[in-house]
Structures are given as C-alpha cells and as structure tokens.
Amino acid sequence: MPALEHSAEDERTVRTQLGRPARGRWGVAARCHLGLPVVIENHPVLEDGSPFPTTYWLTCPLLVKRVSRLEAGGRMRELNAALSADQALASRMSDAIERYVARRDEHEVIADSEGPPGGDAGRIKCLHAHAAHELAGGSNPAGAIALAETGWPDCRLPCVAGAGVPEWMRKKTT
C-alpha cells in the first residue's frame, strides 16, 4: 500500500488552506511552484470506518475558487454534453476513472455506492476532484480542461503566510 504521510508543516499549511483540519490519513500528491501542497491524496476509509468522499482533494485556495466559478457557470453541464457527443473524450474519461479507482484501491478496496468520486465516465459531478486528479498525475481530461480554463496560478507569495517560504523569499517579503 502506498504511504500516506505528511509533515507537520504540510498539516499546518493544508489546515490553513482548507480552513479546517484535513480528515483521515493523507499525503501530499502535488505541490505548486512555491512548494506548497496543492492536492492531497486521501485514504478511502476514515478511522471510524466510514468512506472518505474522494481520493484527491484540491487544497489550493485560488484553484478551488477558480474551479468553483466554472462549476457555478454551468461548465459541468457542458462537459457532460460533450461526453455524450464525443466518444473519444468519453473513452479517455473512462480510462481516467479506471486509473482513479485503481489508485484508490491500492489503499483499500471499497464498494462504489454512487460511482467514483467526481462522477463517472459519462457524468461529471465535481470538477474539483477531476482537477485534483489531473494535478496528481492522473491524466484526467475533465481535470485538464478545467485547469486550462482556470489558468495555473502563478502566485508570487504563498497562500499560507510563512509556510514553505524559501529563505531567499523571506528576505524580500519581510
């Protein structure tokens, strides 16, 4: 089973990014150009035995806000229509979902009650989950589309004060 571990600094950073502690066992799956967590990978089952809703969780506050705007603007409806009309896109999405589930199952196999997190190959339910999967190396077409439309953040300063700030940057910003 892949290790899901994180440092105390990562825990503090993710807690600040989310506005609450992250639940369950998790590790950093992707970092931004400033070295801060942008996606965490979660164990599929919490300590109390209940399922965790997603394997990949987008933690970057800027990306969360931008993807939320896409969702609010109806982008999921448009992507779902595209999945129905474009067999090649639907096939790539199906492959991405299979990789997502396989990665989750490396931690622990759980039954899918309503399909995998974020939706299945024919229906996008959560662009955040797909964008997080893409950033974590999942080659997820819905995530890639969302990230292309939101633009990759080119932050000059970390979203969490003091977290992961290299020494050379602290001298310029303090």
Side-chain angles (χ1 to χ4, degrees), residues 4-162:
L4 291 177
E5 300 171 352
H6 55 273
S7 69
E9 184 173 338
D10 286 338
E11 182 157 353
R12 185 181 77 71
T13 300
V14 168
R15 175 189 306 255
T16 302
Q17 289 174 321
L18 298 177
R20 60 167 178 75
R23 296 173 36 207
R25 288 183 286 160
W26 58 273
V28 177
R31 293 180 183 277
C32 71
H33 66 284
L34 295 175
L36 299 175
V38 67
V39 175
I40 59 173
E41 182 175 354
N42 302 283
H43 191 275
V45 179
L46 294 170
E47 288 81 1
D48 67 3
S50 61
F52 193 82
T54 187
T55 301
Y56 298 105
W57 194 276
L58 194 59
T59 62
C60 170
L62 183 58
L63 279 177
V64 167
K65 187 180 291 187
R66 289 178 178 180
V67 173
S68 293
R69 277 192 218 126
L70 287 178
E71 286 186 349
R75 193 60 175 116
M76 290 184 309
R77 182 178 54 255
E78 295 165 358
L79 284 171
N80 288 330
L83 287 170
S84 295
D86 184 340
Q87 186 56 44
L89 177 61
S91 178
R92 290 191 346 261
M93 196 66 225
S94 181
D95 290 346
I97 296 296
E98 286 178 23
R99 286 189 301 278
Y100 191 106
V101 171
R103 179 63 176 174
R104 180 196 65 198
D105 289 352
E106 288 180 34
H107 298 293
E108 185 172 330
V109 177
I110 61 169
D112 287 324
S113 59
E114 296 179 22
D120 56 32
R123 182 171 167 256
I124 305 298
K125 293 189 316 186
C126 177
L127 281 178
H128 296 87
H130 292 287
H133 185 217
E134 172 69 13
L135 288 168
S139 190
N140 184 306
I145 290 167
L147 291 172
E149 292 177 3
T150 61
W152 179 251
D154 190 17
C155 306
R156 293 183 181 185
L157 297 174
C159 58
V160 176

